[in-house]
Amino acid sequence: MSEFPVIAIDGPSGSGKGTIARRVARALGWHLLDSGALYRLVGLAAARKGQTDASEEALAAIASDLEVRFDADDAGEERVWLGDSDVSAELRTEECGRLASQVAVLPKVRNALMGLQKSFRTAPGLVADGRDMGTTVFPDAMLKVFLTASAGERAKRRHKQLNDKGIDVSLPALSRDIEDRDRRDSERSVAPLRPAEDARLLDSSNLTIDEVTQTVLDWAHELIDAK
Ligand code: DC
């Protein structure tokens, strides 16, 4: 097994784990894995083929054959490619999130994405965010953080994010969506959303992004310095 260190940041949608993972990775100069993007890509690829209702095997085949590439544009903004098309914006839509959550309950799809996720673990280290980074994909992660925030706070954050992008969604509809997705992610039999036994819990409801980032970086440095 690779010895490159991993920081796993798991939590429900809207907890801020994507933002925190990106900032922590940047501060440490480590690689970043947004595992949710991979599930979103499977949902999107299935939709483009008109196969969202396909069998588990067919969806797992789509996951195995994902032609995905991550890079950054001239301004340093991350971009995600599916084959030849830039799907960065489409991937963040609520529709894509819903499709991702549906394919994510399928064990064969999860299994098909395992190797791809592990391949992100390269020198000097990896910050991985998702739902099962600390429990399933990187159980030997150096640091496991379970980031939470109240459902109301998460709905408000997502609402603002979408509003800033000019996307008009009602707050109650968004809250319902977040609760439905939490339920589906927590109740599925394979790799459900739950903290690893050795995870450190961090509630971001009343903390700024800078405070959460600093807390995770302090924990990381504690462990790196102790080595
Ligand atoms: O983090 P996100 O909103 O981009 O994730 C999209 C969906 O993918 C979410 O409903 C849960 C699922 N997912 C998962 O099951 N396991 C992961 N490691 C990451 C995401």
Side-chain angles (χ1 to χ4, degrees):
M1 179 172 294
S2 154
E3 289 300 312
F4 300 122
V6 174
I7 296 176
I9 304 183
D10 290 305
S13 41
S15 58
K17 60 193 183 318
T19 306
I20 302 303
R22 189 171 305 113
R23 289 186 176 217
V24 170
R26 205 167 283 162
L28 294 172
W30 290 11
H31 298 282
L32 176 69
L33 166 63
D34 168 7
S35 62
L38 302 183
Y39 289 94
R40 286 170 183 264
L41 280 162
V42 175
L44 181 61
R48 288 194 168 178
K49 292 176 187 229
Q51 291 197 30
T52 47
D53 293 326
S55 67
E56 181 170 349
E57 282 72 19
L59 290 164
I62 291 174
S64 300
D65 295 342
L66 268 190
E67 275 183 56
V68 56
R69 198 158 49 83
F70 293 85
D71 67 10
D73 63 18
D74 294 341
E77 283 295 312
E78 286 149 28
R79 283 185 312 188
V80 189
W81 298 84
L82 182 60
D84 290 334
S85 63
D86 178 350
V87 294
S88 321
E90 200 173 352
L91 226 48
R92 303 321 314 168
T93 60
E94 291 304 296
E95 173 60 14
C96 233
R98 246 190 312 273
L99 289 171
S101 175
Q102 283 163 16
V103 298
V105 300
L106 304 171
K108 288 182 179 160
V109 170
R110 304 197 70 83
N111 218 20
L113 290 178
M114 195 61 91
L116 178 57
Q117 293 176 92
K118 288 184 190 287
S119 73
F120 280 77
R121 185 176 194 171
T122 51
L126 176 70
V127 181
D129 86 80
R131 305 296 190 287
D132 61 343
M133 297 297 98
T135 52
T136 309
V137 183
F138 301 110
D140 62 338
M142 171 189 91
L143 169 63
K144 300 178 185 178
V145 179
F146 196 80
L147 192 61
T148 55
S150 66
E153 180 60 31
R154 288 186 284 127
K156 263 195 274 172
R157 288 179 189 171
R158 189 56 68 100
H159 190 246
K160 181 173 180 314
Q161 237 172 32
L162 292 171
N163 259 355
D164 289 348
K165 289 186 195 157
I167 303 170
D168 187 25
V169 192
S170 89
L171 188 56
L174 212 50
S175 298
R176 268 197 307 278
D177 224 57
I178 282 187
E179 279 162 20
D180 283 352
R181 205 177 304 169
D182 279 359
R183 199 169 312 114
R184 205 161 31 220
D185 292 343
S186 317
E187 290 177 358
R188 68 173 175 235
S189 56
V190 185
L193 172 66
R194 61 171 172 79
E197 272 177 22
D198 48 352
R200 302 190 190 197
L201 303 188
L202 185 52
D203 185 338
S204 72
S205 305
N206 299 309
L207 298 176
T208 63
I209 291 172
D210 282 347
E211 287 169 333
V212 179
T213 306
Q214 197 50 55
T215 303
V216 176
L217 280 173
D218 287 347
W219 286 341
H221 283 303
E222 225 173 75
L223 294 166
I224 292 168
D225 294 345
K227 280 201 167 177

